Amino acid sequence: MRPAAPCVRLLAILGSCAGSTATQHCPPDQNWDTHPLFGAVTSSPLFFSQEHARQATSLRFGDLNGDGLDDAVCAVSITDSYVTILLGRGDGTFERRFRVDAGDEDALETCDAWPVDPDGDGDLDIATANARTDDCTMLFNDGEANFTRGDRYPLGDEPRSIVAGDLDGDGDPDLAYLNVLSRDVSVLLDRGDGTFDPEVRIAVGGTTGRGQSNRTFPYPGPFLAIGDIDDDLDIMVPGGFEIEILLNDGAGGFTLRDEHPLVDIATRVYDIKAVDLDGDEDLDLAAALYGGRAELGVWLKAGDGMYGEVSRYDASVMGDGLLHFSTTVGVGDIDGDLDAVIGNELWGAYGLLRNRGDGIFAPFEAYLDDEGPWLLEIRDVNGDDWADVISAPSHSFRISHVIAHLNDGTGTPQGTVNS
């Protein structure tokens, strides 16, 4: 029986399945050995009440109150919709501060929230993506993590994810939004005073996300990525069974690159990270893939500036013939190289794939989690200079938490945790 208090129990698949009392995620004839992903686990409440069904649809970080510590910004959707602010305590736990509404409507479906400083005052404000009202809202910070609503800007149909960066080279952070129904990307250039020029849309050809509107059930993402492929900040778009690349002309104008790193017509790209995986100082691509199996997709950038064939790494937890969905990927230095963690939403599991240092990954290590990882980030949240794994669970009808799996410096399982 599940305890009334929140319980975090990570289970590692270490070859044999015998000898464990935890069976709820397994076929009837299987059990699992129990080990934590790292050493300690912390859990911080995310929602303010449970009178409506809701779940986090994005998880971002930044210092919102100027204390030098990472704070968490979570967009929350389903029947209620808002942004939750959680202030970091520096030990891997977070203090639930308050909720901020992006508008007065009952159901904006605010499905992403990105910390950014568009007015240049040194405080991180928040840009939201409001999927149901097809617009975005600026929430302005007074420097102490108190927010007031600013302007709203119209976007394409069903904006679901955001990236921010200096797209036109003027030193101010601009915004780009992925619109899944109109199948385009909206670019808003910052004027430097916290206001933005009207959107400019760039069409993308692929079928984004799950191939249809997410409004009936707000899954997180699909998520854009941003990075410098050719001396300007470019945008990587999850385009159905491929990654579409929007090349920046340096002034915030974009064209669709001819080369599209492909997967296959049965597998969709859902979340992308643009990082240097093989140490050659070029941006490679890592993506969460789903299409019957949870997988990590990796594209290494070649010397000619083009991307090679996709390398696919299984993270499905069990070879049971059942569907396994991976909606998010975290990339960070777990044990000396940029490693990857895949969230498996159906089985409630993590797939940890260790990088050899050359962009080739070892077979995955699977860790089951009672709460069901839904969103993932890898970053140091307790100040020990080791990358931790931070997640928000998928259970929409339960009290949800931001969960930190704290790396003790070894990046390996360290015994049994039951809390």
Side-chain angles (χ1 to χ4, degrees):
M1 176 179 292
R2 187 184 187 89
C7 174
V8 179
R9 186 165 59 237
L10 298 177
L11 313 174
I13 302 172
L14 303 176
S16 172
C17 288
S20 171
T21 59
T23 60
Q24 61 268 37
H25 292 287
C26 312
D29 59 344
Q30 288 183 302
N31 298 293
W32 304 99
D33 293 331
T34 60
H35 295 272
L37 178 57
F38 297 133
V41 181
T42 70
S43 183
S44 305
L46 178 58
F47 303 144
F48 284 81
S49 69
Q50 204 63 13
E51 48 189 59
H52 299 293
R54 59 174 69 82
Q55 64 196 27
T57 48
S58 74
L59 176 63
R60 313 288 187 184
F61 291 89
D63 182 6
L64 300 178
N65 60 349
D67 62 359
L69 303 175
D70 260 343
D71 307 309
V73 178
C74 299
V76 175
S77 287
I78 299 190
T79 59
D80 206 357
S81 184
Y82 51 84
V83 177
T84 295
I85 308 299
L86 299 99
L87 299 183
R89 297 187 177 108
D91 61 356
T93 65
F94 297 87
E95 173 190 356
R96 187 180 59 199
R97 182 62 180 273
F98 50 75
R99 58 176 281 176
V100 183
D101 295 308
D104 294 325
E105 298 91 332
D106 290 335
L108 290 173
E109 199 172 313
T110 299
C111 57
D112 200 358
W114 190 289
V116 63
D117 181 17
D119 55 4
D121 64 357
D123 303 316
L124 282 179
D125 309 306
I126 297 173
T128 74
N130 307 322
R132 191 169 293 277
T133 53
D134 300 331
D135 61 10
C136 63
T137 307
M138 280 307 308
L139 303 172
F140 289 102
N141 188 352
D142 67 357
E144 297 181 356
N146 299 306
F147 291 86
T148 57
R149 283 205 303 264
D151 293 335
R152 289 170 66 171
Y153 299 88
L155 300 171
D157 297 340
E158 198 172 334
R160 298 204 61 85
S161 67
I162 314 167
V163 290
D166 183 7
L167 301 178
D168 57 3
D170 65 356
D172 300 314
D174 309 301
L175 302 174
Y177 288 81
L178 175 59
N179 307 307
V180 300
L181 276 188
S182 51
R183 298 186 183 181
D184 49 31
V185 171
S186 294
V187 173
L188 283 74
L189 298 181
D190 184 5
R191 296 171 178 154
D193 60 358
T195 64
F196 293 84
D197 290 337
E199 62 163 337
V200 175
R201 291 200 213 172
I202 305 98
V204 291
T207 304
T208 57
R210 295 171 183 258
Q212 60 187 359
S213 170
N214 286 346
R215 284 176 175 158
T216 57
F217 188 80
Y219 286 92
F223 294 105
L224 294 168
I226 190 169
D228 181 4
I229 291 179
D230 60 354
D231 300 324
D232 299 298
L233 281 181
D234 308 299
I235 299 172
M236 282 60 77
V237 183
F241 55 88
E242 63 188 2
I243 294 177
E244 299 179 307
I245 300 174
L246 298 178
L247 291 180
N248 190 349
D249 63 8
F254 290 86
T255 56
L256 190 63
R257 182 168 169 169
D258 289 338
E259 174 207 16
H260 297 178
L262 298 177
V263 189
D264 62 54
I265 59 173
T267 303
R268 298 195 181 280
V269 180
Y270 212 78
D271 184 20
I272 311 169
K273 295 295 188 294
V275 289
D276 180 11
L277 295 172
D278 56 4
D280 64 358
E281 300 184 355
D282 290 323
L283 283 185
D284 308 304
L285 304 177
L289 309 178
Y290 76 90
R293 302 191 66 81
E295 294 180 290
L296 171 70
V298 173
W299 293 260
L300 299 180
K301 189 177 180 184
D304 60 2
M306 306 296 282
Y307 287 94
E309 295 287 327
V310 61
S311 297
R312 301 172 68 156
Y313 298 89
D314 180 41
S316 294
V317 183
M318 290 169 284
D320 50 21
L322 299 178
L323 291 177
H324 297 262
F325 296 112
S326 49
T327 57
T328 185
V329 58
V331 177
D333 182 1
I334 299 296
D335 59 4
D337 298 298
L338 286 181
D339 307 301
V341 178
I342 287 284
N344 187 319
E345 72 174 77
L346 180 63
W347 283 103
Y350 301 88
L352 170 59
L353 299 101
R354 299 179 191 271
N355 189 352
R356 301 188 320 191
D358 57 0
I360 307 299
F361 289 79
F364 79 101
E365 305 161 24
Y367 299 87
L368 297 183
D369 178 356
D370 282 353
E371 295 295 328
W374 183 261
L375 301 161
L376 286 174
E377 289 290 336
I378 299 180
R379 58 195 305 118
D380 176 19
V381 292
N382 64 342
D384 63 358
D385 295 327
W386 295 105
D388 309 306
V389 176
I390 321 301
S391 68
S394 63
H395 297 312
S396 59
F397 293 93
R398 298 175 180 168
I399 297 295
S400 194
H401 293 68
V402 169
I403 298 171
H405 309 282
L406 302 180
N407 189 350
D408 61 4
T410 67
T412 58
Q414 294 295 308
T416 300
V417 165
N418 288 289
S419 60

